[in-house]
Amino acid sequence: MRIDVVSIFPEYLAPLRLSLLGRAQEDGLLTLAVHDLRDFTFDRHRTVDDTPYGGGAGMVMKPEPWALALEHVLERQAGAHGAADNPRRPVLVVPSPAGTVFTQAMAYELAEEPTLAFACGRYEGIDERVLDWAGERFEVRPVSLGDYVLNGGEVAVMAMVEAVGRLLPGVVGNPESLVEESHSAGLLEYPVYTKPSSWRGLDIPEVLLSGNHGKIASWRLEQQLRRTVARRPELLEGAEAAPFGKGERAVLRELGYEVVDGRLRRVAS
Ligand code: 6GU
């Protein structure tokens, strides 16, 4: 996969050269290019922002540097592996607190693309006409990390590139760690423990020493259910009941959920 990021703070993205994704780039599994938006300006001050029409606080990113930067990205991406056979337009992710919320499902979708581009806005945002213009050349996707406000898209891009990059074939050494995650999709992970079995007066759950793999698996699933109910109940409300067997349904009932038309429903308690 080829990823291009446009930002006024290219150094912000430097950590993507480290660790797992750094290795993926060395191994040729991922090509990551970060472009400085100011390289697409021509005035002495390399200006990328201006005051908003209609007034109001803050500054807005000027359109022309963005068009030039994104044209440059399109040229570079045209030669990427798989780009020529892509029947669809290349995806342009625009990080924004006003976007669709980024999820693991979206990470899997994006991991299928031969190329991805990210346009990091700063200040109050990018002149809206850039998105209209880009919409004729890219599949534009405004994406948010969640309901809070960051100063710009760079940190969000780091999160998204890491989430997508680790799904690319060969990037994660043991692909079973991905399989396990997708099996438990929709539930939070179970708690994990390592040696020593007794530490500062705290013992690990006994079942983990039993050697009974069936019992361990059902204990872990029960922990996932309890955790999800306690921390993220909205993940269970309306979820398909089909993946849950007799034992799990009993736990779910105890936790206040019933099955109606094959879906979980919170029972008033
Ligand atoms: Cl993608 N961008 C910004 N600026 N703030 C955010 C965000 C993105 N996601 C959550 N907050």
Side-chain angles (χ1 to χ4, degrees), residues 7-230:
S7 163
I8 58 166
F9 295 122
E11 325 86 84
Y12 232 113
L13 285 302
L16 290 175
R17 307 249 171 248
L18 302 175
S19 188
L20 213 68
L21 291 192
R23 163 68 73 86
Q25 289 165 79
E26 286 167 17
D27 293 350
L29 304 172
L30 173 67
T31 302
L32 178 66
V34 183
H35 311 270
D36 187 343
L37 182 67
R38 292 191 198 276
D39 290 345
F40 302 91
T41 62
F42 298 97
D43 64 308
R44 242 161 46 85
H45 300 289
R46 312 226 291 163
T47 311
V48 292
D49 63 337
D50 206 337
T51 55
Y53 276 116
M59 299 291 270
V60 174
M61 293 189 109
K62 293 161 62 67
E64 186 60 12
W66 276 110
L68 295 173
L70 293 174
E71 278 171 345
H72 176 70
V73 165
L74 279 172
E75 278 170 29
R76 301 287 303 272
Q77 289 192 337
H81 183 78
D85 330 313
N86 188 3
R88 286 165 304 115
R89 284 182 277 208
V91 170
L92 173 65
V93 175
V94 183
S96 160
T100 313
V101 174
F102 186 69
T103 60
Q104 188 64 23
M106 199 187 290
Y108 276 107
E109 265 177 52
L110 296 178
E112 297 292 319
E113 299 289 331
T115 63
L116 291 177
F118 290 88
C120 297
R122 283 262 153 182
Y123 316 114
E124 297 310 307
I126 304 171
D127 186 310
E128 190 66 22
R129 292 168 295 179
V130 172
L131 304 195
D132 303 334
W133 173 88
E136 298 190 354
R137 292 150 179 91
F138 293 91
E139 179 192 329
V140 176
R141 302 184 64 165
V143 180
S144 167
L145 284 196
D147 292 337
Y148 47 86
V149 179
L150 304 171
N151 284 332
E154 286 79 6
V155 167
V157 167
M158 277 207 269
M160 291 188 265
V161 169
E162 179 155 322
V164 171
R166 63 192 291 284
L167 298 178
L168 300 176
V171 171
V172 167
N174 179 4
E176 270 194 49
S177 40
L178 299 177
V179 172
E180 182 130 324
E181 280 172 354
S182 59
H183 266 295
S184 50
L187 292 181
L188 304 187
E189 292 292 314
Y190 52 77
V192 296
Y193 304 87
T194 187
K195 292 172 277 297
S197 63
S198 184
W199 172 77
R200 297 196 180 204
L202 300 171
D203 294 341
I204 67 166
E206 236 176 68
V207 62
L208 298 178
L209 295 169
S210 70
N212 183 332
H213 297 297
K215 257 175 99 172
I216 291 172
S218 50
W219 178 84
R220 284 178 168 167
L221 185 50
E222 178 177 339
Q223 296 304 308
Q224 289 188 272
L225 293 170
R226 291 186 183 280
R227 239 183 203 193
T228 308
V229 169

